[in-house]
Amino acid sequence: AQSVAQPEDQVNVAEGNPLTVKCTYSVSGNPYLFWYVQYPNRGLQFLLKYITGDNLVKGSYGFEAEFNKSQTSFHLKKPSALVSDSALYFCAVRDEKAAGNKLTFGGGTRVLVKP
Amino acid sequence: DVKVTQSSRYLVKRTGEKVFLECVQDMDHENMFWYRQDPGLGLRLIYFSYDVKMKEKGDIPEGYSVSREKKERFSLILESASTNQTSMYLCASSPRSGRFTDTQYFGPGTRLTVL
């Protein structure tokens, strides 16, 4: 079975400081990993994904994520946070060995960037 | 741009009513999904569909049914609404590929309140 964990319910960061949102996963085969963001009263927007290849993935709005197979992690990072990055962030995983295009989502991490 | 629309942003229904949530996508995607989003639980998959008239149960199908009569439209049905079905409902779509690595695109969500 595939599962994903986001250990922090909320992350607070000052504007201009680095932002990290943590995600760990568990799968039987190789993982396909995704990050989505949800702004208030909006649906989820795709940020980036890791399928194969370079462990550092760059995505939208200056975000990037690093795939670490030994630590089964896929943390989301941004070098300099903006107030507009305040939102709810979801990590999701699909096991290569699982049938169908089913994603399992983490519980979400709320990011609050203070001016 | 992919566009996924949902029939209502906010909906209030009474216990025991039959509720229809509609989702339409305009990108000719084969796959469509219904999730519910609850605080701290992330997104949980209710049902999904790989093709017209085809459906499969997700992780929490109890109390729900779905219909996909046309490729672009995927309906979620609550046969007899209950208060524990008060939630945010999100629809998503994705193209079909052999590796199932494609991004899912989400609608804006329907916030359903059952009184």
Side-chain angles (χ1 to χ4, degrees):
Chain A
Q2 58 193 38
S3 65
V4 62
Q6 294 180 244
E8 300 159 317
D9 291 336
Q10 181 160 324
V11 170
N12 298 318
V13 63
E15 188 174 31
N17 282 1
L19 169 63
T20 299
V21 186
K22 296 179 180 177
C23 172
T24 59
Y25 66 89
S26 175
V27 294
S28 301
N30 290 316
Y32 303 138
L33 294 153
F34 300 77
W35 275 102
Y36 285 84
V37 60
Q38 185 179 37
Y39 297 103
N41 300 313
R42 303 279 296 276
L44 271 67
Q45 295 180 31
F46 169 74
L47 277 178
L48 51 81
K49 66 181 177 183
Y50 171 82
I51 304 301
T52 187
D54 194 346
N55 288 345
L56 186 63
V57 179
K58 294 188 182 298
S60 307
Y61 312 122
F63 284 94
E64 59 187 28
E66 187 167 9
F67 171 63
N68 187 319
K69 189 170 185 177
S70 63
Q71 297 186 5
T72 61
S73 68
F74 189 57
H75 301 331
L76 181 70
K77 298 180 181 181
K78 186 170 184 179
S80 178
L82 301 172
V83 172
S84 57
D85 293 328
S86 298
L88 188 56
Y89 291 80
F90 290 98
C91 182
V93 68
R94 183 186 172 274
D95 190 336
E96 174 193 52
K97 292 187 175 181
N101 191 12
K102 292 170 58 175
L103 289 178
T104 297
F105 285 82
T109 299
R110 188 166 298 282
V111 170
L112 181 60
V113 182
K114 298 182 178 179
Chain B
D1 281 352
V2 175
K3 191 168 185 181
V4 180
T5 57
Q6 296 182 228
S7 52
S8 305
R9 292 300 304 274
Y10 300 93
L11 208 53
V12 180
K13 296 292 181 180
R14 297 204 175 273
T15 301
E17 281 192 79
K18 190 169 185 175
V19 182
F20 293 86
L21 303 182
E22 304 284 343
C23 175
V24 177
Q25 50 93 5
D26 66 358
M27 284 302 293
D28 202 36
H29 285 171
E30 283 81 6
N31 302 322
M32 296 190 74
F33 308 82
W34 275 107
Y35 296 89
R36 63 176 283 175
Q37 180 184 0
D38 299 290
L41 297 178
L43 277 70
R44 292 178 291 168
L45 182 64
I46 304 172
Y47 267 96
F48 60 104
S49 170
Y50 290 142
D51 207 342
V52 174
K53 296 190 184 297
M54 183 256 152
K55 60 186 178 184
E56 287 196 28
K57 293 180 179 180
D59 299 320
I60 52 164
E62 297 79 17
Y64 304 94
S65 61
V66 290
S67 172
R68 193 164 181 201
E69 296 296 319
K70 295 184 178 181
K71 190 175 185 179
E72 68 271 17
R73 187 180 297 269
F74 192 35
S75 302
L76 179 69
I77 303 157
L78 286 66
E79 295 289 343
S80 178
S82 63
T83 55
N84 62 13
Q85 292 178 310
T86 291
S87 186
M88 170 72 88
Y89 290 87
L90 294 169
C91 175
S93 73
S94 73
R96 181 160 59 200
S97 71
R99 291 173 59 86
F100 299 107
T101 59
D102 289 297
T103 301
Q104 293 186 15
Y105 297 89
F106 285 81
T110 296
R111 186 167 295 281
L112 172 67
T113 301
V114 182
L115 302 175

PDB file of all heavy atoms in Angstrom, chain B residues 43-54:
ATOM      1  N   LEU B  43      -6.874  14.871   1.181  1.00  0.00           N
ATOM      2  CA  LEU B  43      -7.870  14.458   0.191  1.00  0.00           C
ATOM      3  C   LEU B  43      -8.007  12.947   0.230  1.00  0.00           C
ATOM      4  O   LEU B  43      -7.013  12.221   0.232  1.00  0.00           O
ATOM      5  CB  LEU B  43      -7.426  14.878  -1.211  1.00  0.00           C
ATOM      6  CG  LEU B  43      -7.730  16.297  -1.640  1.00  0.00           C
ATOM      7  CD1 LEU B  43      -6.900  17.297  -0.888  1.00  0.00           C
ATOM      8  CD2 LEU B  43      -7.516  16.454  -3.154  1.00  0.00           C
ATOM      9  N   ARG B  44      -9.237  12.486   0.221  1.00  0.00           N
ATOM     10  CA  ARG B  44      -9.497  11.052   0.167  1.00  0.00           C
ATOM     11  C   ARG B  44     -10.334  10.741  -1.066  1.00  0.00           C
ATOM     12  O   ARG B  44     -11.334  11.409  -1.327  1.00  0.00           O
ATOM     13  CB  ARG B  44     -10.206  10.602   1.450  1.00  0.00           C
ATOM     14  CG  ARG B  44      -9.323  10.689   2.697  1.00  0.00           C
ATOM     15  CD  ARG B  44     -10.097  10.270   3.934  1.00  0.00           C
ATOM     16  NE  ARG B  44     -11.131  11.233   4.275  1.00  0.00           N
ATOM     17  CZ  ARG B  44     -12.101  11.015   5.162  1.00  0.00           C
ATOM     18  NH1 ARG B  44     -12.158   9.834   5.774  1.00  0.00           N
ATOM     19  NH2 ARG B  44     -12.998  11.946   5.420  1.00  0.00           N
ATOM     20  N   LEU B  45      -9.921   9.703  -1.781  1.00  0.00           N
ATOM     21  CA  LEU B  45     -10.554   9.363  -3.043  1.00  0.00           C
ATOM     22  C   LEU B  45     -11.869   8.621  -2.804  1.00  0.00           C
ATOM     23  O   LEU B  45     -11.895   7.599  -2.113  1.00  0.00           O
ATOM     24  CB  LEU B  45      -9.604   8.504  -3.883  1.00  0.00           C
ATOM     25  CG  LEU B  45     -10.084   8.103  -5.267  1.00  0.00           C
ATOM     26  CD1 LEU B  45     -10.273   9.329  -6.155  1.00  0.00           C
ATOM     27  CD2 LEU B  45      -9.086   7.136  -5.896  1.00  0.00           C
ATOM     28  N   ILE B  46     -12.940   9.117  -3.428  1.00  0.00           N
ATOM     29  CA  ILE B  46     -14.249   8.497  -3.275  1.00  0.00           C
ATOM     30  C   ILE B  46     -14.492   7.488  -4.405  1.00  0.00           C
ATOM     31  O   ILE B  46     -14.759   6.316  -4.174  1.00  0.00           O
ATOM     32  CB  ILE B  46     -15.363   9.562  -3.275  1.00  0.00           C
ATOM     33  CG1 ILE B  46     -15.117  10.616  -2.187  1.00  0.00           C
ATOM     34  CG2 ILE B  46     -16.732   8.907  -3.079  1.00  0.00           C
ATOM     35  CD1 ILE B  46     -16.062  11.801  -2.264  1.00  0.00           C
ATOM     36  N   TYR B  47     -14.433   7.967  -5.633  1.00  0.00           N
ATOM     37  CA  TYR B  47     -14.606   7.153  -6.831  1.00  0.00           C
ATOM     38  C   TYR B  47     -13.735   7.729  -7.942  1.00  0.00           C
ATOM     39  O   TYR B  47     -13.403   8.909  -7.928  1.00  0.00           O
ATOM     40  CB  TYR B  47     -16.071   7.172  -7.315  1.00  0.00           C
ATOM     41  CG  TYR B  47     -16.953   6.083  -6.807  1.00  0.00           C
ATOM     42  CD1 TYR B  47     -17.777   6.307  -5.694  1.00  0.00           C
ATOM     43  CD2 TYR B  47     -17.016   4.841  -7.427  1.00  0.00           C
ATOM     44  CE1 TYR B  47     -18.618   5.299  -5.219  1.00  0.00           C
ATOM     45  CE2 TYR B  47     -17.861   3.839  -6.965  1.00  0.00           C
ATOM     46  CZ  TYR B  47     -18.647   4.080  -5.859  1.00  0.00           C
ATOM     47  OH  TYR B  47     -19.490   3.099  -5.390  1.00  0.00           O
ATOM     48  N   PHE B  48     -13.428   6.874  -8.911  1.00  0.00           N
ATOM     49  CA  PHE B  48     -12.782   7.377 -10.114  1.00  0.00           C
ATOM     50  C   PHE B  48     -13.284   6.605 -11.333  1.00  0.00           C
ATOM     51  O   PHE B  48     -13.919   5.553 -11.204  1.00  0.00           O
ATOM     52  CB  PHE B  48     -11.262   7.346  -9.993  1.00  0.00           C
ATOM     53  CG  PHE B  48     -10.666   5.985  -9.753  1.00  0.00           C
ATOM     54  CD1 PHE B  48     -10.038   5.296 -10.775  1.00  0.00           C
ATOM     55  CD2 PHE B  48     -10.695   5.416  -8.484  1.00  0.00           C
ATOM     56  CE1 PHE B  48      -9.467   4.073 -10.547  1.00  0.00           C
ATOM     57  CE2 PHE B  48     -10.114   4.186  -8.256  1.00  0.00           C
ATOM     58  CZ  PHE B  48      -9.503   3.510  -9.278  1.00  0.00           C
ATOM     59  N   SER B  49     -12.974   7.170 -12.489  1.00  0.00           N
ATOM     60  CA  SER B  49     -13.459   6.594 -13.744  1.00  0.00           C
ATOM     61  C   SER B  49     -12.380   6.699 -14.812  1.00  0.00           C
ATOM     62  O   SER B  49     -11.781   7.762 -14.979  1.00  0.00           O
ATOM     63  CB  SER B  49     -14.712   7.338 -14.203  1.00  0.00           C
ATOM     64  OG  SER B  49     -15.072   6.959 -15.514  1.00  0.00           O
ATOM     65  N   TYR B  50     -12.164   5.590 -15.528  1.00  0.00           N
ATOM     66  CA  TYR B  50     -11.178   5.589 -16.597  1.00  0.00           C
ATOM     67  C   TYR B  50     -11.795   5.808 -17.970  1.00  0.00           C
ATOM     68  O   TYR B  50     -11.072   6.025 -18.942  1.00  0.00           O
ATOM     69  CB  TYR B  50     -10.414   4.257 -16.642  1.00  0.00           C
ATOM     70  CG  TYR B  50      -9.484   4.062 -15.480  1.00  0.00           C
ATOM     71  CD1 TYR B  50      -9.344   2.811 -14.904  1.00  0.00           C
ATOM     72  CD2 TYR B  50      -8.753   5.112 -14.961  1.00  0.00           C
ATOM     73  CE1 TYR B  50      -8.493   2.616 -13.837  1.00  0.00           C
ATOM     74  CE2 TYR B  50      -7.901   4.931 -13.902  1.00  0.00           C
ATOM     75  CZ  TYR B  50      -7.775   3.681 -13.339  1.00  0.00           C
ATOM     76  OH  TYR B  50      -6.929   3.497 -12.285  1.00  0.00           O
ATOM     77  N   ASP B  51     -13.101   5.714 -18.041  1.00  0.00           N
ATOM     78  CA  ASP B  51     -13.728   5.854 -19.346  1.00  0.00           C
ATOM     79  C   ASP B  51     -15.232   6.008 -19.156  1.00  0.00           C
ATOM     80  O   ASP B  51     -15.753   5.798 -18.047  1.00  0.00           O
ATOM     81  CB  ASP B  51     -13.417   4.628 -20.226  1.00  0.00           C
ATOM     82  CG  ASP B  51     -13.434   4.947 -21.702  1.00  0.00           C
ATOM     83  OD1 ASP B  51     -14.008   5.993 -22.090  1.00  0.00           O
ATOM     84  OD2 ASP B  51     -12.897   4.139 -22.486  1.00  0.00           O
ATOM     85  N   VAL B  52     -15.918   6.310 -20.230  1.00  0.00           N
ATOM     86  CA  VAL B  52     -17.369   6.466 -20.166  1.00  0.00           C
ATOM     87  C   VAL B  52     -17.997   5.177 -19.651  1.00  0.00           C
ATOM     88  O   VAL B  52     -17.584   4.071 -20.030  1.00  0.00           O
ATOM     89  CB  VAL B  52     -17.915   6.812 -21.559  1.00  0.00           C
ATOM     90  CG1 VAL B  52     -19.439   6.846 -21.556  1.00  0.00           C
ATOM     91  CG2 VAL B  52     -17.356   8.151 -22.022  1.00  0.00           C
ATOM     92  N   LYS B  53     -18.958   5.313 -18.766  1.00  0.00           N
ATOM     93  CA  LYS B  53     -19.717   4.219 -18.165  1.00  0.00           C
ATOM     94  C   LYS B  53     -18.849   3.281 -17.330  1.00  0.00           C
ATOM     95  O   LYS B  53     -19.303   2.193 -16.961  1.00  0.00           O
ATOM     96  CB  LYS B  53     -20.465   3.421 -19.252  1.00  0.00           C
ATOM     97  CG  LYS B  53     -21.524   4.239 -19.977  1.00  0.00           C
ATOM     98  CD  LYS B  53     -22.385   3.358 -20.854  1.00  0.00           C
ATOM     99  CE  LYS B  53     -23.376   4.196 -21.656  1.00  0.00           C
ATOM    100  NZ  LYS B  53     -24.326   4.928 -20.801  1.00  0.00           N
ATOM    101  N   MET B  54     -17.670   3.697 -17.025  1.00  0.00           N
ATOM    102  CA  MET B  54     -16.776   2.875 -16.238  1.00  0.00           C
ATOM    103  C   MET B  54     -16.468   3.589 -14.928  1.00  0.00           C
ATOM    104  O   MET B  54     -16.251   4.795 -14.914  1.00  0.00           O
ATOM    105  CB  MET B  54     -15.506   2.614 -17.039  1.00  0.00           C
ATOM    106  CG  MET B  54     -14.513   1.716 -16.381  1.00  0.00           C
ATOM    107  SD  MET B  54     -13.188   2.686 -15.741  1.00  0.00           S
ATOM    108  CE  MET B  54     -12.669   1.645 -14.406  1.00  0.00           C
TER     109      MET B  54
END
